[in-house]
Amino acid sequence: MGLVRLRVREFAAEKGWTLKEVAKRSGVGYSTISNYARSPGMAMVDFTAIHKLARTFDVMIEDLVEILEE
């Protein structure tokens, strides 16, 4: 099983947003955002949350998700 990392912290910093602001703007729970932002690699993620985050940051999903291990 592969590992992915979400570039939530980087995109939030580019926009000048806190993680709480990202949660509010995206509709994704703060605890989920926080977990995604600080995790070095995850085997499972919520695709709906990823889709919402990509729309919130106005980026493609491929830009938000970094594949660490296939």
Side-chain angles (χ1 to χ4, degrees):
M1 185 179 297
L3 294 177
V4 298
R5 184 180 78 80
L6 299 183
R7 300 177 57 216
V8 173
R9 196 171 298 282
E10 292 97 319
F11 284 113
E14 284 179 16
K15 300 277 188 183
W17 298 342
T18 65
L19 295 181
K20 286 189 179 188
E21 286 177 290
V22 172
K24 181 179 175 185
R25 290 171 183 265
S26 68
V28 177
Y30 174 74
S31 62
T32 300
I33 299 289
S34 179
N35 285 337
Y36 288 170
R38 66 173 189 237
S39 179
M42 299 171 286
M44 294 176 45
V45 293
D46 177 349
F47 187 78
T48 302
I50 292 173
H51 185 259
K52 288 179 180 180
L53 289 169
R55 282 193 328 212
T56 299
F57 291 127
D58 195 28
V59 298
M60 293 176 38
I61 290 173
E62 292 85 354
D63 296 330
L64 180 64
V65 177
E66 178 183 359
I67 297 174
L68 301 175
E69 180 181 307
E70 291 189 37

